[in-house]
Amino acid sequence: MAVTTPVKPRRGRPPKSATKAAAAEGTEADEGTTLEPAAKRRRTYTKKAKAAESSASLELDERVFFSNRLSAQEADTTQFIPGCEDRSMFDEARASACIAEGGVAATEGGGTTPSTPSAVAGMVGYQVKKIRFGNYIIDSWYISPFPDEYSRHALLYICEFCLKYMKSEYTFKRHCQKCTLRHPPGDEIYRDENISVFEVDGRKNKIYCQNLCLIGKMYLDTKTLFYDVEPFLFYVLCEYDAQGYHFAGYYSKEKRSAQGYNLSCIMILPSKQREGYGKLLIEFSYLLSKKEGVPGSPEKPLSDFGLLSYRSYWRRAIYEILLACGGATVSIEDLAGQTGMTVDDIISTLQTDGMLHRLPGTPGNYAIVADTKKTEEYVRKAREKNPRRIDPSKLRWAPFLIKATLAAAPPDRRLSTSTAAAIGGTHVNVTSDNDDDDDE
C-alpha cells in the first residue's frame, strides 16, 4: 500500500506555470473575481494608455470646459498672469493706502515703499489709533513711536497717574487696583483751588517723562524728543479731586537754554481742551521767567497753532499793561520787564497790530499808539473767554540753577528755601571754594 505524503505549499510567489494560467484566466474572469497583481497592473496600464490617446487626439478648440460652459479661450488662465503694468498699479494702490493710514509712502532718498507685505504692514498696521486715558477714549492725531509690541494694538490703555501704557483691558484694571501713585512724581510748585502744577525732573523720573513725551507725540506733529529727557524739566498741569491729581497737560523746557527759551513744547489733552489750560500754562511759563529775572520766549520756529496761541497771549498781556498805565508813556523795555517777554516778541506783536508808528523827523524812533476802545474791548472778551488766571502769590518755587547750587553747597554756606525763592532768579554762587555749577 503506497503512502502519499502531502506537499507543503511554498511561501512567496507562485510558480511560473501557475502565474501564466492565472493571467490567462484573468482576462475572462468576471468583475467579482479577484485578479492577480500582474493582471491589475496590465489593466491599469491599458486604461492610462487609452486615456492618453484620447486626450492627445482632441484639439484645443474641441475640448469641453466646465460642461461646455466655457470656451477654450475663456478657460485659458495664462492671460491672468500679472505683468509689469499690474505691478505698477499694485504699488500705486499700496502707496496711497499707506499714506491714508499715516504711514510713509517713500523714503527721504526718493525710494519707493517696501515690496513685501510684511514691510507694508509694519508701516500701516503698527499705529495706535486710540488711547484709554482715565474715563476717556481719545483718538490719536499722529503716530507715536511706541515699542513694536504695543504699536500692533489699535487701542492702548494708559494710567492717568503714572502714565504706564498697557495692551489689554484686563492688565489695565489690575494695574489701577495696584497703582499707588496719585500725583506726578515731582514737586508741587503751584496750587489754586483744584488746579496744581508739578515740576518733574527728566533725570530723576526718566520713565515717567519718556511716557509723557510718547503721549505728547500723539498730538504734536513737530515733536522729536522721546527718550533723551534728562536735560529737560517738565511742568505737569493736573486737576485735583478726591481720587488724586488727574493729568490735563504739560509743557517742557531745557534746564539751561543757550537761546533763553522758557518753553520747548506744550500739549493739552484733547479731552481737556477749550478750558483755557493752554493759555494758563503759557502764562505760568512767563511767571517763572519773571521769577528768574530773565526774559523768556518759546522755542522757535512755532507751529501755526502755537503761533496763534502765543500771539493771543502776547496781545492780551501787552494790552492789559497799556490800559493799566492810563495813557502814560511806556517803553518796550518796561513792557518786557512787566510781562517777562523778550523785546523781539513785543515788537512783533505791536507791528502785527499796527501799533508801532515812526516819529517824523527822528529816524529810528518809534511810538506805541493804541486805540483805547479797541484795546478795552479785546481785553474784556479775552477775560470772558478765559477767566482763569495764574496767581503769582501761590507760586512756591526756586529757579533750577539756584536749587542745584544750594544742593552742592556746604551745610554752613546754604541759604534757606525762603531766601532762595526771594532771590527771584539771580544766579548766586554760594560756594566759595568751587565756582562750578552743578549740572545735576
Side-chain angles (χ1 to χ4, degrees):
M1 182 176 179
V3 179
T4 305
T5 305
V7 180
K8 186 178 180 180
R10 296 176 59 186
R11 293 183 180 180
R13 57 183 182 181
K16 294 183 179 181
S17 58
T19 303
K20 291 180 180 180
E25 294 176 359
T27 56
E28 300 175 359
D30 298 335
E31 293 181 358
T33 306
T34 303
L35 301 178
E36 294 296 330
K40 284 184 178 181
R41 289 195 297 270
R42 186 178 297 106
R43 175 165 291 186
T44 303
Y45 173 78
T46 303
K47 290 182 178 180
K48 289 182 178 180
K50 290 181 179 179
E53 291 176 0
S54 61
S55 62
S57 62
L58 292 176
E59 299 294 338
L60 184 63
D61 55 346
E62 296 177 353
R63 293 182 184 180
V64 177
F65 299 96
F66 297 97
S67 302
N68 204 19
R69 294 178 182 177
L70 296 178
S71 63
Q73 184 178 3
E74 294 174 343
D76 186 14
T77 58
T78 57
Q79 58 182 328
F80 302 110
I81 297 177
C84 297
E85 183 179 357
D86 300 318
R87 183 66 184 181
S88 62
M89 293 175 60
F90 173 77
D91 291 338
E92 293 176 1
R94 180 177 58 188
S96 61
C98 188
I99 295 175
E101 292 293 333
V104 180
T107 61
E108 295 181 358
T112 58
T113 52
S115 57
T116 59
S118 60
V120 176
M123 295 189 303
V124 178
Y126 293 3
Q127 180 182 355
V128 179
K129 307 288 186 181
K130 300 179 180 180
I131 60 172
R132 165 77 181 275
F133 197 90
N135 297 325
Y136 300 92
I137 296 181
I138 310 173
D139 294 334
S140 64
W141 297 352
Y142 305 101
I143 299 177
S144 185
F146 286 95
D148 289 343
E149 58 178 319
Y150 295 91
S151 298
R152 297 171 183 266
H153 298 265
L155 175 63
L156 283 186
Y157 300 85
I158 301 178
C159 177
E160 61 180 333
F161 298 110
C162 68
L163 303 187
K164 180 181 179 181
Y165 46 88
M166 290 148 279
K167 297 180 288 187
S168 64
E169 185 178 5
Y170 174 78
T171 308
F172 173 70
K173 291 182 178 179
R174 293 269 297 178
H175 172 82
C176 292
Q177 295 176 355
K178 298 178 180 180
C179 184
T180 59
L181 194 65
R182 284 296 176 266
H183 59 80
D187 300 328
E188 185 180 13
I189 60 176
Y190 180 84
R191 181 188 296 179
D192 185 10
E193 296 179 355
N194 67 325
I195 297 298
S196 294
V197 179
F198 289 80
E199 183 183 60
V200 184
D201 192 339
R203 185 184 68 84
K204 296 179 181 179
N205 304 279
K206 190 173 182 179
I207 301 300
Y208 180 89
C209 295
Q210 288 178 350
N211 294 342
L212 195 62
C213 291
L214 290 174
I215 297 174
K217 176 56 183 172
M218 302 180 73
Y219 306 102
L220 297 173
D221 187 21
T222 57
K223 183 172 179 57
T224 56
L225 172 69
F226 310 119
Y227 298 104
D228 186 18
V229 297
E230 296 185 6
F232 290 85
L233 293 172
F234 296 82
Y235 296 90
V236 183
L237 178 68
C238 299
E239 293 179 342
Y240 175 76
D241 61 11
Q243 297 180 354
Y245 293 84
H246 303 273
F247 176 83
Y250 82 99
Y251 82 89
S252 63
K253 75 170 185 177
E254 293 182 86
K255 296 176 181 177
R256 292 187 176 182
S257 177
Q259 295 82 7
Y261 294 144
N262 64 354
L263 186 143
S264 295
C265 73
I266 181 172
M267 188 276 296
I268 305 297
L269 280 178
S271 58
K272 302 296 182 180
Q273 291 180 0
R274 297 194 178 277
E275 296 184 19
Y277 289 152
K279 298 284 195 332
L280 202 68
L281 284 179
I282 293 175
E283 184 179 1
F284 187 81
S285 67
Y286 280 105
L287 175 61
L288 299 188
S289 296
K290 290 188 287 185
K291 194 75 172 178
E292 292 174 342
V294 180
S297 179
E299 186 173 328
K300 306 297 192 306
L302 290 171
S303 63
D304 295 337
F305 290 106
L307 182 60
L308 291 175
S309 299
Y310 262 95
R311 189 151 286 170
S312 175
Y313 170 78
W314 292 338
R315 186 177 291 113
R316 176 178 177 178
I318 294 173
Y319 285 7
E320 287 178 343
I321 295 177
L322 293 178
L323 291 176
C325 293
T329 303
V330 180
S331 65
I332 293 180
E333 288 75 12
D334 295 335
L335 292 176
Q338 296 184 49
T339 60
M341 298 164 51
T342 60
V343 174
D344 294 338
D345 293 338
I346 295 175
I347 293 176
S348 174
T349 304
L350 294 176
Q351 287 179 340
T352 303
D353 296 345
M355 299 173 64
L356 276 182
H357 296 265
R358 178 178 295 179
L359 296 177
T362 55
N365 292 333
Y366 292 82
I368 302 175
V369 180
D371 189 339
T372 305
K373 292 184 178 180
K374 291 183 179 180
T375 304
E376 291 177 348
E377 182 68 16
Y378 181 86
V379 172
R380 183 186 62 81
K381 291 182 178 179
R383 289 175 178 175
E384 292 177 354
K385 184 177 181 181
N386 297 312
R388 192 190 299 269
R389 302 297 299 273
I390 292 292
D391 187 357
S393 63
K394 297 182 179 180
L395 177 67
R396 300 293 183 268
W397 178 80
F400 172 77
L401 292 180
I402 291 181
K403 291 190 294 184
T405 308
L406 290 175
D412 57 341
R413 298 298 302 272
R414 294 181 182 175
L415 298 176
S416 63
T417 305
S418 59
T419 305
I423 292 175
T426 304
H427 178 56
V428 178
N429 190 356
V430 297
T431 58
S432 58
D433 298 332
N434 184 11
D435 292 339
D436 294 335
D437 298 328
D438 187 3
D439 273 348
E440 280 209 351

